[in-house]
Amino acid sequence: LLAKTAHAPLYNGEASVPPSLREAILSFLLASAVRSIREVEPIHNSMLVHVIRYTEVQKKVASQVEIELKNIVRRLVYGDGNRTPTILEEFLELWESGDGGFIETNLDCARILGSEVVDLPPWDEVQAALPQIAKSVRVKVINGEGVDVLDYEESKDGLNVIAIGGDKLSRGLTLE
């Protein structure tokens, strides 16, 4: 059992999030920014990261996600220096990508549902909303230890959360 609970989640030998999880975080921030522009009232946004059931591993993944999120916030707020692509270029690529980007997916959803296309906000509005949205996201570990909780009622301004856990997340937890 010790070997399983001591597992270190690594990507290419480093304690960092894999590219697929990083892209999911960027996509979550984009979707949250769009919702913040569209909605008048405070709203909740939740991202679920389901990992192994061992709480120590969940905590390590949460730490990696927090580090990645802080890096994204820092780049959005203070800029990228000479780093390329810039964080805004990365977001724009997700927004415009012909392979599952937000614009294409929006059109596909309308086509599949047989409904009218709901226009996405202009990119400049989304871009302007990203820093504040990213700063508002909290990473929470949700498991049987009960340290973190998702208390949507307590959050009057809306809760933006990346929930990380295992079995508890797969057993009927309600996310907003």
Side-chain angles (χ1 to χ4, degrees):
L1 180 66
L2 180 59
K4 291 181 181 177
T5 60
H7 171 73
L10 303 175
Y11 175 73
N12 282 344
E14 295 184 19
S16 62
V17 300
S20 59
L21 181 52
R22 184 172 186 283
E23 184 176 319
I25 293 168
L26 295 175
S27 295
F28 171 68
L29 296 173
L30 275 173
S32 298
V34 169
R35 288 193 74 211
S36 74
I37 294 166
R38 286 182 172 166
E39 304 290 331
V40 177
E41 297 178 17
I43 52 172
H44 305 296
N45 297 293
S46 303
M47 176 180 171
L48 171 66
V49 180
H50 186 272
V51 295
I52 197 165
R53 68 183 179 125
Y54 302 114
T55 58
E56 289 305 311
V57 178
Q58 294 168 12
K59 290 175 189 174
K60 290 175 185 175
V61 171
S63 176
Q64 293 172 1
V65 170
E66 284 177 336
I67 289 167
E68 187 62 40
L69 183 62
K70 285 179 184 174
N71 183 42
I72 292 167
V73 169
R74 186 173 39 258
R75 292 175 69 194
L76 282 169
V77 173
Y78 299 110
D80 292 284
N82 294 331
R83 186 173 177 169
T84 58
T86 68
I87 192 69
L88 289 175
E89 289 170 343
E90 290 182 65
F91 276 114
L92 185 59
E93 172 66 22
L94 275 173
W95 185 256
E96 294 180 335
S97 171
D99 184 28
F102 275 70
I103 294 171
E104 180 182 306
T105 301
N106 188 49
L107 296 171
D108 286 347
C109 286
R111 182 182 47 77
I112 290 167
L113 295 172
S115 62
E116 289 189 31
V117 174
V118 177
D119 288 332
L120 291 169
W123 170 246
D124 61 333
E125 287 182 38
V126 175
Q127 179 180 325
L130 281 169
Q132 190 60 36
I133 287 295
K135 287 191 286 187
S136 72
V137 174
R138 300 294 168 253
V139 177
K140 293 186 177 265
V141 178
I142 308 298
N143 57 40
E145 292 181 356
V147 176
D148 283 338
V149 294
L150 293 177
D151 194 352
Y152 294 105
E153 298 298 321
E154 292 277 326
S155 183
K156 305 284 187 248
D157 296 330
L159 179 63
N160 296 315
V161 64
I162 298 175
I164 299 173
D167 291 345
K168 189 167 184 177
L169 293 180
S170 65
R171 292 192 176 145
L173 178 69
T174 301
L175 299 174
E176 294 283 339

